Amino acid sequence: MPLSLDDPSPLAHAAPEGIWPIDPDPRVTDLPGRQRWSFGGGRARAAEVAGTLVPATDARIAYLGIRRDGQGQPFPAAFAHSPETGAALGPPVPIPAPEILDIDLDSLAEVPLPSGVPALIRAGHPAALYLFQENLGAFAEWDGRNFVGHERLPPHPVGTGITASRRGIAYATAEVLVGVRLPQLGRGLVHAEARAAGLRFLSAPCWRGGDLLVLGERGGRLVLCRRVADSDALDLRDLGRAAPDADFAGPWMNRLGDTVWTGPDGFVACRTLGDETTATSWPGGFTPIIAQAPWRDRADLYHQLGMAEGRYHVAALTPDPDLHRLDGPHLAAGPCTYSGAERFNVPWQAAEEALNLGTHAGNLLVPRLSMARDTILLALDIPGPRGGFLRGERLPAPVTGHVLHHAHGAGLRRLPVGLAVSRIGDARALLHDGVLYLWSRSECRCHALRLRAA
């Protein structure tokens, strides 16, 4: 009889030894197959599934669906208490992102990254940490010590790059739409490629259930491409306008699941209600700054930063876009008054507790990660005009900035990490399983800062 998360009492006082068979619970793992856990001294030594043995010290053991005790020791998710101490185990990992970042500054470690153009990805069910070298197509997974390489995938994603989900990852190159199922144990990847004669992809894809949606160009026309789940066939829908010469950024998704891509000539919105897809032009005279992702206000509406009449404006991503002008001093730091990548307070709204991104000690503040009450920023001393950097222009040489943590209501503190950038998107931040990862494309370096236990 399979063990159940809902009735863990038989395990609460057990001291397991030897081999324990555990059936996977689909609520915590998509990895099928009975798991054979080996225990010694009440602790897990390893687990075997589908012929693959995973040591307890390997981060990939989380693919099986686990809980951890206070010392980080793994146990099957069906265990509710530690067999050694009887203490309640934590929630199934990875640990959910906290509401407040409480960073252990003494836990700093540097994670080696291979050469290339790195993109860290959190994907799968349960979510795991992966590395994709965008210019090489090399794909690797994190085992807790190193990134373990798999076979190569098609390189050079278009648009914003990789789209991650519980189902896996997806991206498009100019010629092929790639979908990869995750997680995987072993050395092989299960991936599918879809293409069509004369079709050129223009954006990163979005997941719609098991389907993939992506923008493309065929015969000079802008088309929406749909790849149905577990199929290599593409369904193409003409969107009634000429395709632009440049790629689209996005996709950006609201809480209803509506998806938006932004491009140089306009934006494309794909609504969940009725699967309606529309292409809308920008207001006359408006030039979007595609290097800056749209910001979402408290009403769940996205706004795109851009220029009109020589001044910064934001355009609402609605069927009838309206423009609002921003004053210069606010924008000297980037996205006006700011409280995170998913939220911002625009000048015509009453500010609640917002961080005014002016300058800090003469440096430009660029947001890297947002949470409800915390923001991670990069402070940069940009040589020359800052407006060009914000609009996506490349710096002549990398500039090293320092990372700041803004705890709303508690001010700024400097983290013991420096990141080098030559473009606005070169430095990134990611939260995974209780660790804050900060990395730079320019210098191929990654730093890990563990969060304190609650």
Side-chain angles (χ1 to χ4, degrees):
M1 178 178 178
L3 297 172
S4 170
L5 286 173
D6 299 322
D7 184 21
S9 54
L11 302 174
H13 305 290
E17 296 291 331
I19 303 298
W20 280 54
I22 303 287
D23 287 336
D25 191 303
R27 288 173 291 181
V28 295
T29 179
D30 283 343
L31 191 65
R34 171 164 284 196
Q35 306 164 7
R36 292 172 54 83
W37 286 75
S38 59
F39 286 90
R43 292 191 175 188
R45 298 184 184 274
E48 181 183 353
V49 60
T52 301
L53 185 68
V54 186
T57 55
D58 193 317
R60 290 171 292 182
I61 201 168
Y63 295 174
L64 282 64
I66 66 169
R67 300 176 191 264
R68 294 190 187 274
D69 63 13
Q71 288 72 47
Q73 297 294 322
F75 293 91
F79 282 45
H81 298 80
S82 168
E84 287 187 299
T85 65
L89 298 174
V93 299
I95 300 170
E99 292 187 2
I100 301 175
L101 287 179
D102 189 6
I103 302 169
D104 182 1
L105 298 183
D106 296 327
S107 68
L108 176 64
E110 185 169 339
V111 179
L113 294 181
S115 61
V117 181
L120 288 183
I121 305 159
R122 187 177 184 272
H125 177 55
L129 191 63
Y130 299 91
L131 171 69
F132 183 65
Q133 301 291 76
E134 295 184 351
N135 61 328
L136 304 174
F139 189 78
E141 59 185 328
W142 178 242
D143 70 357
R145 293 182 177 87
N146 300 287
F147 283 100
V148 181
H150 287 275
E151 65 190 63
R152 291 184 184 268
L153 298 170
H156 304 296
V158 300
T160 313
I162 302 291
T163 303
S165 75
R166 287 177 53 152
R167 295 179 177 270
I169 66 168
Y171 65 98
T173 69
E175 298 179 347
V176 61
L177 175 62
V178 183
V180 183
R181 288 191 174 274
L182 300 173
Q184 295 293 320
L185 288 177
R187 304 294 294 178
L189 289 176
V190 179
H191 77 280
E193 300 181 8
R195 67 186 79 212
L199 177 65
R200 177 173 60 96
F201 293 106
L202 298 176
S203 77
C206 79
W207 294 90
R208 183 64 57 88
D211 299 351
L212 286 174
L213 302 179
V214 61
L215 298 177
E217 176 268 333
R218 194 177 198 184
R221 305 287 294 175
L222 181 63
V223 295
L224 177 71
C225 314
R226 179 189 292 268
R227 195 207 76 180
V228 180
D230 301 321
S231 170
D232 292 339
L234 289 171
D235 175 54
L236 307 183
R237 183 191 307 177
D238 192 302
L239 296 181
R241 64 185 301 163
D245 294 331
D247 295 335
F248 283 81
W252 324 109
M253 187 175 294
N254 65 15
R255 287 187 282 273
L256 296 176
D258 300 332
T259 303
V260 178
W261 291 271
T262 55
D265 302 331
F267 62 93
V268 175
C270 184
R271 313 292 180 189
T272 55
L273 183 62
D275 204 20
E276 175 191 5
T277 303
T278 57
T280 304
S281 299
W282 297 118
F286 179 76
T287 303
I289 300 174
I290 302 298
Q292 289 274 12
W295 292 277
R296 191 167 64 186
D297 64 16
R298 293 189 296 274
D300 205 25
L301 176 63
Y302 280 108
H303 303 258
Q304 177 64 53
L305 180 69
M307 301 288 290
E309 299 178 346
R311 300 295 299 271
Y312 286 103
H313 288 67
V314 287
L317 302 187
T318 60
D320 184 19
D322 54 333
L323 284 179
H324 292 275
R325 195 178 83 176
L326 303 178
D327 57 17
H330 281 261
L331 202 68
C336 65
T337 304
Y338 190 85
S339 61
E342 295 298 326
R343 306 169 183 81
F344 79 124
N345 294 282
V346 291
W348 57 92
Q349 290 178 323
E352 294 178 350
E353 185 177 10
L355 171 63
N356 182 2
L357 291 186
T359 56
H360 174 70
N363 294 327
L364 177 71
L365 294 184
V366 181
R368 298 291 78 177
L369 177 70
S370 168
M371 301 179 66
R373 294 183 57 183
D374 296 81
T375 305
I376 297 295
L377 309 114
L378 185 64
L380 294 165
D381 184 9
I382 300 294
R386 295 176 175 180
F389 176 78
L390 293 172
R391 289 189 288 270
E393 295 178 11
R394 188 179 184 89
L395 298 174
V399 173
T400 300
H402 57 271
V403 180
L404 295 171
H405 172 212
H406 177 254
H408 293 242
L412 290 164
R413 60 172 172 166
R414 183 168 175 166
L415 301 183
V417 170
L419 295 176
V421 302
S422 57
R423 290 181 184 271
I424 194 170
D426 272 0
R428 303 293 177 92
L430 178 147
L431 271 175
H432 175 68
D433 202 14
V435 177
L436 173 66
Y437 293 90
L438 300 160
W439 76 101
S440 163
R441 291 169 176 257
S442 293
E443 57 187 5
C444 292
R445 296 175 65 198
C446 180
H447 306 274
L449 286 148
R450 183 163 295 280
L451 306 182
R452 298 180 189 274

